[in-house]
Amino acid sequence: MTNEILVVVAAAFVFACGAMGVVYRKNPVAVLMSVELMINAAILLLILGSRIHGNAEGQAAGLLVLVLGAAEAVVGLALALAVFRSRSRVDVDEPKEIAG
Amino acid sequence: MELSAPVAVCCALAALSALGVVLLRRPVHVALGLLGHSLSMAALYLTLSAQLMAVAQTLIYSGAIVVLFLIVVTLLPEGGQEKLSFGGIFLAVMAGAAVLAVLGGALAGFFAPGSTAALPVLAGEGPSVKEVGKPLFSTLVVPFELTAPLLLAAIVTAIALWRRQEKPRAGGLD
């Protein structure tokens, strides 16, 4: 096994962990952290591709994805605080007023 | 490039801390798991000679985002403790296994006996910081400029969501 394949396998594992966390976590903060895991796995693959092909655009795109992740966390956390601050329990399945 | 110890150690740390983020119960421990994960990812970027991304990951993720998560954990009722159900855990294991199976199927070519599939490797150093900066101002200039309104919209949204929760004060603006 080479370094590159190990990194690809690690990225796949981290992405699967994030997907699992999004499905079963009840705490909105933990759900957002799982989303961050998936974003990190995607950035890792962008950087690996940039290294393999010797092309700087992958790293530049990775930087942009990093900023996207930060913006997503800000809005998600504000939403979580607005919905759950006044409740006694923290459970993303509970609030009925935001159901579609 | 043959398997080297730094890459293997960083990959193992990243995978372990990702498991910690998913499996730990207390939100503060989860945030610490995310901190360890982002730091090991930054180290992994260094081994892939992506120095700029390593610095950005450390500053933005380990510095800003993890602190933001910790602040929100302190503001949530009961510190955000959650009650998990067995049905949910079963669903989660199924979802994780399904994602792993799909990604593993995509990667199966690398592990088949006698396969010639391999990721070609470029010798020498990766792109320098100067080379990374160039596409940001040429081919990727539109997405790069769009990050500014995106961040502004995120800030305005966060403030608007929070102000809606506050009760209006009797004395007006003072």
Side-chain angles (χ1 to χ4, degrees):
Chain A
M1 189 191 272
T2 61
N3 273 338
E4 291 76 16
I5 294 177
L6 180 67
V7 172
V8 174
V9 171
F13 180 79
V14 170
F15 190 92
C17 278
M20 205 166 92
V22 169
V23 171
Y24 97 108
R25 282 291 185 158
K26 303 273 187 189
N27 184 342
V29 179
V31 172
L32 282 172
M33 287 189 200
S34 305
V35 174
E36 298 292 337
L37 283 188
M38 293 200 279
I39 292 176
N40 264 333
I43 295 174
L44 180 57
L45 284 187
L46 277 174
I47 289 176
L48 181 69
S50 151
R51 176 86 179 88
I52 287 174
H53 296 289
N55 186 344
E57 280 187 23
Q59 275 194 49
L63 267 178
L64 297 179
V65 177
L66 206 69
V67 175
L68 273 183
E72 167 261 326
V74 168
V75 177
L77 288 173
L79 199 58
L81 266 186
V83 173
F84 291 103
R85 183 95 201 270
S86 54
R87 289 171 184 271
S88 56
R89 274 185 62 196
V90 176
D91 184 345
V92 285
D93 296 331
E94 214 170 55
K96 292 285 184 283
E97 69 267 22
I98 56 174
Chain B
M1 197 171 11
E2 279 307 305
L3 194 59
S4 66
V7 175
V9 170
C10 291
C11 281
L13 280 178
L16 272 180
S17 49
L19 263 186
V21 170
V22 176
L23 297 180
L24 290 174
R25 301 297 295 273
R26 293 179 72 93
V28 176
H29 295 168
V30 178
L32 287 180
L34 189 66
L35 178 64
H37 177 75
S38 81
L39 286 178
S40 49
M41 280 296 210
L44 194 51
Y45 297 163
L46 273 185
T47 64
L48 293 172
S49 57
Q51 291 88 358
L52 179 66
M53 280 303 294
V55 172
Q57 174 89 8
T58 312
L59 286 182
I60 298 179
Y61 263 88
S62 319
I65 295 186
V66 172
V67 171
L68 190 65
F69 274 120
L70 280 174
I71 290 173
V72 173
V73 166
T74 60
L75 286 175
L76 281 177
E78 298 176 349
Q81 288 273 33
E82 54 193 337
K83 308 203 168 28
L84 298 173
S85 64
F86 283 106
I89 292 174
F90 177 70
L91 255 182
V93 171
M94 295 295 289
V99 172
L100 257 188
V102 170
L103 295 177
L107 297 179
F110 292 128
F111 300 106
S115 100
T116 53
L119 295 168
V121 181
L122 196 87
E125 287 295 300
S128 67
V129 176
K130 191 177 170 187
E131 287 165 27
V132 174
K134 272 182 190 154
L136 283 181
F137 293 100
S138 55
T139 48
L140 290 174
V141 69
V142 175
F144 179 61
E145 293 296 337
L146 281 177
T147 53
L150 174 81
L151 284 175
L152 182 67
I155 295 170
V156 172
T157 311
I159 295 173
L161 279 169
W162 183 249
R163 287 301 293 265
R164 196 177 290 177
Q165 294 298 303
E166 282 186 344
K167 294 187 180 69
R169 278 180 242 165
L173 286 175
D174 56 357

